[in-house]
Amino acid sequence: MANYSTNELRSGIKVMLDGEPCSILDNEFVKPGKGQAFNRVKLRNLNSGRVWERTFKSGESLEGADVMDRTMEYLYTDGEFWYFMEPDTFEQYQADEKAVGDTHLWLKEQERCEVTLYNDSPLSVAPPNFVELEITETDPGLKGDTAQGGSKPATLSTGAVVKVPLFLSQGEIIRVDTRTGEYQGRASKS
Amino acid sequence: MNWQPSADLPMLRARAALLDSVREFFAARHVLEVETPLLCSAGVTDPAIEPLIVERGSSLHSPHYLQTSPEYAMKRLLAAGSGPIYQLTKAFRDGEAGVRHNPEFTLLEWYRPDHDYHQLMREVAELVCSCLGEKPVQYITYRDLFLAELGLDPLTASLADLRLRAQQELDLGSLDGDKDLWLDLLMSHLIEPRLAARGLCFVYDYPASQAALSNIVEKDGQLLGQRFELYVDGLELANGYSELTDPAEQRRRFQADNTRRRDTGFDEKPVDERLLAALEAGMPQCSGVALGFDRLLMLLTGSEDIRQVLAFDWARI
């Protein structure tokens, strides 16, 4: 992998730090007019998600991390691993529970996801911002109650539980914002 | 192709007006405006500053350096009897880019024969307040500032104490260096942010190891550089000295800089023999200061990023 000088570090560049793959969030150049120059670098540890702020002497170099973001299609899970495919090459990748995390609540087969590869194996998986999923379990719908507020929990086909308006019932398809877990509306019928 | 300027039109007007106010300030005080060459045959030896080098051209008999400040040329004018002088000029420093740095920037530099650095600090305060409006002005020694903000004496604390304090508050990995590195780190990371919203804060009497080109004197058994730095609302704006006038001592400092450059893996720089010859001929006792003009404009317009005050920043040239 290429090495990066502290002066080249920009948001989005992936480097190794203390043996961990990290993504640069911010890089502030700090230099007294007559003294040592430093770079205050903010980075996210891609393994733990933790954000670090580390100070380096300017001009030091960091090893690049073999980390890439790829758009892949989610195929299926066997309970232990989740399988993804690169649509161009049909190459398949298996992601473990640590990489998938809570994202499994939004994974629908054939949906496109962002898979971050580290040394060619999935490090993390990000769902699309919006997914359409079927309600598999909820209290019966209340006819006519479309205007009033009020909500109830609904379990979706993936196991996610979201709050939905009272008028929705089992079997309906809804659109959810995966970043907030909020109900967005009924999906258009296909 | 992104051809547009980084500064907007009101900013360009504010820059022009600020240039006018600075020139009026010095005209009223009978300080002569001068211009000196941007290219120099000798660079600076300062271990913390890297110049840009112009390599080619039929007019060049050797590579030339773009000036990192007009200091040496202005000192030669002083030795030639110019009297008080100022200059608004471009300076270049390699590798310095960020929200408060651009590799090419505008410096306001001026020299006052027969002023000591305390008199010069007061004049700097007058200039800055004439541009920005009245603000509180505070004068504090480097030592007292460290004592007040960190409870550490920068002159007597051991390297281990300084390092420990920095490591307690910051994530530094394997960062290491000499005592000045730790002092610079504490100053820039811990003290500087605390100077925000405090108006003008002059920090003076630096440890002799950070004297740069200032006169060194002994005070209470400690060697101190008669140097000051001005912070305005936490932004480092100016650096000044009671100037070193002794050519032998100047040569020693150049050599010490080069030794330090070699020890830290940088190339040595040729010494400016013309400056030394001018000091030999006799430069008057004087004080001088360099002030970041772009940063003054940032303060005037409330800009957080230097790119907002430049017609074209480094990425647009």
Side-chain angles (χ1 to χ4, degrees):
Chain A
M1 278 315 286
N3 280 350
Y4 296 98
S5 154
T6 51
N7 297 327
E8 300 171 314
L9 297 177
R10 275 183 308 281
S11 172
I13 285 180
K14 313 288 196 301
V15 295
M16 297 299 295
L17 187 61
D18 299 350
E20 301 277 317
C22 297
S23 176
I24 304 291
L25 299 176
D26 192 31
N27 177 13
E28 189 191 351
F29 180 73
V30 178
K31 182 181 188 302
K34 290 286 169 193
Q36 175 69 46
F38 302 100
N39 287 76
R40 281 187 98 157
V41 180
K42 207 180 270 182
L43 355 79
R44 171 174 283 116
N45 180 330
L46 294 172
N47 262 329
S48 67
R50 203 183 124 223
V51 172
W52 275 343
E53 190 171 72
R54 170 72 63 91
T55 295
F56 300 90
K57 257 194 256 188
S58 284
E60 264 183 70
S61 64
L62 291 179
E63 187 193 344
D66 184 11
V67 171
M68 272 172 292
D69 294 326
R70 295 278 181 75
T71 301
M72 293 193 200
E73 191 178 308
Y74 169 58
L75 299 176
Y76 65 97
T77 175
D78 59 12
E80 191 182 355
F81 293 105
W82 284 258
Y83 294 85
F84 297 85
M85 182 181 74
E86 188 128 43
D88 299 334
T89 60
F90 305 110
E91 202 175 335
Q92 291 191 19
Y93 293 86
Q94 60 175 43
D96 60 13
E97 200 177 342
K98 186 164 167 272
V100 172
D102 286 343
T103 298
H104 74 86
L105 293 172
W106 311 116
L107 287 178
K108 195 170 100 177
E109 287 165 17
Q110 276 124 54
E111 198 74 63
R112 296 285 170 100
C113 303
E114 283 291 307
V115 178
T116 301
L117 296 175
Y118 169 50
N119 290 339
D120 221 30
S121 69
L123 183 67
S124 64
V125 179
N129 290 343
F130 297 98
V131 290
E132 293 183 356
L133 294 167
E134 184 186 341
I135 297 177
T136 52
E137 202 186 318
T138 190
D139 290 340
L142 293 175
K143 276 240 158 55
D145 194 4
T146 51
Q148 276 303 327
S151 63
K152 59 181 180 179
T155 306
L156 308 181
S157 52
T158 54
V161 177
V162 297
K163 282 189 171 156
V164 299
L166 298 173
F167 61 83
L168 288 173
S169 44
Q170 198 173 310
E172 287 191 89
I173 313 274
I174 62 164
R175 188 174 162 82
V176 183
D177 185 332
T178 62
R179 294 161 295 186
T180 58
E182 280 172 10
Y183 166 84
Q184 297 292 303
R186 268 196 273 210
S188 48
K189 295 253 164 34
S190 54
Chain B
M1 206 58 176
N2 186 4
W3 58 269
Q4 282 105 339
S6 23
D8 59 18
L9 199 53
M11 186 62 77
L12 296 180
R13 293 197 184 103
R15 175 176 280 268
L18 188 59
L19 285 167
D20 282 348
S21 342
V22 167
R23 290 199 161 99
E24 277 166 30
F25 180 87
F26 287 111
R29 287 155 188 255
H30 307 290
V31 179
L32 182 69
E33 180 167 12
V34 296
E35 283 188 300
T36 56
L38 294 183
L39 283 177
C40 344
S41 54
V44 283
T45 55
D46 189 326
I49 296 179
E50 279 305 302
L52 287 166
I53 301 174
V54 178
E55 292 276 359
R56 259 188 250 169
S58 59
S59 311
L60 297 175
H61 51 80
S62 62
H64 275 50
Y65 301 90
L66 282 165
Q67 69 174 1
T68 55
S69 93
E71 179 163 3
Y72 298 171
M74 291 180 82
K75 285 181 171 173
R76 284 162 60 193
L77 292 178
L78 290 160
S82 66
I85 48 175
Y86 81 98
Q87 176 159 212
L88 278 158
T89 187
K90 288 300 185 79
F92 302 81
R93 294 183 187 178
D94 190 27
E96 302 193 5
V99 293
R100 282 166 286 170
H101 296 81
N102 198 62
E104 173 178 349
F105 61 103
T106 302
L107 262 185
L108 164 62
E109 184 148 331
W110 77 97
Y111 290 86
R112 282 290 205 171
D114 303 323
H115 276 40
D116 69 13
Y117 65 132
H118 285 285
Q119 290 167 289
L120 188 60
M121 278 190 259
R122 286 193 288 278
E123 187 167 58
V124 172
E126 285 168 34
L127 171 92
V128 171
C129 290
S130 79
C131 296
L132 302 181
E134 287 305 315
K135 282 175 176 283
V137 184
Q138 180 191 3
Y139 300 86
I140 184 167
T141 65
Y142 187 85
R143 183 181 209 173
D144 286 343
L145 183 65
F146 267 76
L147 285 169
E149 300 299 333
L150 302 179
L152 274 173
D153 185 335
L155 303 179
T156 59
S158 67
L159 188 151
D161 289 342
L162 298 173
R163 179 170 53 204
L164 182 66
R165 182 56 188 269
Q167 286 171 340
Q168 280 168 348
E169 303 208 24
L170 300 161
D171 180 350
L172 302 169
S174 58
L175 187 79
D176 211 353
D178 60 14
K179 192 172 165 184
D180 287 312
L181 175 135
W182 294 107
L183 290 173
D184 283 341
L185 185 84
L186 292 168
M187 185 73 186
S188 57
H189 285 60
L190 299 183
I191 297 182
E192 217 177 281
R194 300 183 197 194
L195 301 179
R198 289 209 346 214
L200 278 66
C201 181
F202 285 94
V203 183
Y204 65 96
D205 286 353
Y206 276 67
S209 57
Q210 299 189 16
L213 298 191
S214 67
N215 227 1
I216 294 178
V217 294
E218 195 181 325
K219 219 187 223 174
D220 308 327
Q222 298 284 350
L223 288 178
L224 298 172
Q226 293 183 316
R227 172 186 160 202
F228 67 86
E229 287 262 354
L230 167 62
Y231 292 86
V232 179
D233 293 336
L235 182 67
E236 185 196 1
L237 184 66
N239 175 59
Y241 316 125
S242 271
E243 299 289 349
L244 174 64
T245 53
D246 174 3
E249 170 65 9
Q250 179 68 70
R251 190 178 286 280
R252 273 195 294 278
R253 299 233 190 135
F254 281 153
Q255 282 159 352
D257 277 353
N258 267 331
T259 302
R260 191 174 154 138
R261 288 183 72 87
R262 205 174 47 231
D263 293 347
T264 49
F266 289 92
D267 57 337
E268 293 180 46
K269 290 283 185 271
V271 163
D272 192 331
E273 292 294 344
R274 287 194 171 93
L275 172 66
L276 290 169
L279 296 185
E280 204 72 60
M283 184 175 87
Q285 290 296 328
C286 63
S287 289
V289 61
L291 182 150
F293 181 83
D294 307 299
R295 290 189 184 175
L296 185 63
L297 182 56
M298 286 171 73
L299 288 163
L300 178 66
T301 54
S303 307
E304 294 288 326
D305 191 321
I306 195 166
R307 284 168 281 223
Q308 294 171 279
V309 305
L310 301 170
F312 297 100
D313 65 52
W314 198 244
R316 292 173 199 242
I317 59 174

